[in-house]
């Protein structure tokens, strides 16, 4: 995830974070299920107050862009990424099944690509 805060614009930093995360979710840079940095970590990285980043995360959650899962962090939702929840569920099942039978991740990706004709 790449966030750049511009200080010479009228858009407040929390809105810049929200808008950039939304754009990256739409274009596939942040696919569904991608875990965002912790609020404090992102605030430190961007040189912003924790409350500024927390507001951005709150607004993203209220709009359905992200979902907070307690200790598991905040993740991009399927809706934000333009992926159906059914597709996300099936992808998770595939990943779980491949791990269960010992298929390495790179080989599982190759198998999925082949099945999709890519």
């Amino acid at each position: 995830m790449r966030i750049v805060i511009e200080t010479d614009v009228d858009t407040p930093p929390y809105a810049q974070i929200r808008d950039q995360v939304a754009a990256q979710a739409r274009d596939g840079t942040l696919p569904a299920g991608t875990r965002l940095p912790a609020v404090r970590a992102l605030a430190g990285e961007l040189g912003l107050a924790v409350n500024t980043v927390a507001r951005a995360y709150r607004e993203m959650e209220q709009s359905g862009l992200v979902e907070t899962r307690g200790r598991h962090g905040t993740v991009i939702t399927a809706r934000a990424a333009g992926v159906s929840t059914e597709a996300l569920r099936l992808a998770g099942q595939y990943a779980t099944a491949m791990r269960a039978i010992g298929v390495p991740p790179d080989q599982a990706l190759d198998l999925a690509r082949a099945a999709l004709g890519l």
Side-chain angles (χ1 to χ4, degrees):
M1 178 173 85
R2 185 170 187 271
I3 303 290
V4 176
I5 301 300
E6 297 181 26
T7 56
D8 58 343
V9 297
D10 291 335
T11 307
Y14 76 87
Q16 292 182 50
I17 295 168
R18 180 196 62 215
D19 295 347
Q20 290 178 48
V21 169
Q24 291 177 46
R26 275 193 310 275
D27 73 14
T29 304
L30 295 174
T34 300
R35 186 175 175 186
L36 300 182
V39 170
R40 287 185 190 279
L42 186 58
E45 180 181 322
L46 297 175
L48 297 172
V50 172
N51 286 340
T52 300
V53 176
R55 179 173 179 181
Y57 277 39
R58 259 193 323 276
E59 288 198 5
M60 289 188 293
E61 186 159 29
Q62 289 169 351
S63 70
L65 178 64
V66 300
E67 175 181 81
T68 301
R69 299 179 178 167
R71 293 189 326 239
H72 299 289
T74 301
V75 298
I76 300 292
T77 62
R79 179 176 146 208
V83 176
S84 74
T85 53
E86 178 68 1
L88 190 59
R89 183 184 68 75
L90 290 170
Q93 284 182 344
Y94 175 74
T96 299
M98 292 296 105
R99 276 190 222 103
I101 62 172
V103 175
D106 57 333
Q107 190 175 21
L109 288 172
D110 289 342
L111 290 167
R113 283 187 190 97
L116 292 168
L118 301 177

